[in-house]
Amino acid sequence: MRLTVLGGCGAWPTAVQACSGHLVEYDGFRLLVDPDYATLPRLLRHATVTAVGAVPISHGHPDHCAGFDPLLRARPGDLGHQRRVDPARLERLPRLGRTGE
């Protein structure tokens, strides 16, 4: 298993670090955990957007989930750079979190 810290600087990103975000890789499967505002550019240094298999989100604070939408928009075939997110297409990338958040 490999853990890559994509950010960890607090409630907002800085010029050099994202708030939160971890890439967990095991046996060819990749989890993007708690993606924040600035996680996507850092993720792209390690994996493509289509290589992410699931996105566990611990809670609904923006510094732990705001990066989910840009990830979806960047995935060809899921949202294809659309402005409006179609909820029916979100099933292609599992988002794991508590109900209601």
Side-chain angles (χ1 to χ4, degrees):
M1 181 173 74
R2 179 170 50 183
L3 171 66
T4 303
V5 177
L6 302 172
C9 73
W12 59 87
T14 68
V16 295
Q17 189 175 28
C19 301
S20 178
H22 300 83
L23 178 63
V24 180
E25 301 172 88
Y26 179 74
D27 198 24
F29 190 79
R30 292 179 180 91
L31 293 174
L32 177 61
V33 181
D34 281 351
D36 84 326
Y37 310 98
T39 300
L40 185 59
R42 284 141 182 94
L43 168 69
L44 294 174
R45 295 178 188 162
H46 304 279
T48 64
V49 292
T50 55
V52 175
V55 183
I57 295 174
S58 64
H59 61 284
H61 292 168
D63 60 324
H64 289 265
C65 68
F68 188 63
D69 184 66
L71 175 70
L72 289 175
R73 292 176 187 279
R75 288 172 58 96
D78 281 350
L79 298 175
H81 307 290
Q82 299 175 17
R83 290 180 183 261
R84 187 178 155 282
V85 176
D86 179 1
R89 301 186 84 177
L90 296 180
E91 295 176 11
R92 293 190 184 175
L93 182 66
R95 176 226 182 244
L96 311 170
R98 295 182 358 206
T99 303
E101 289 192 306

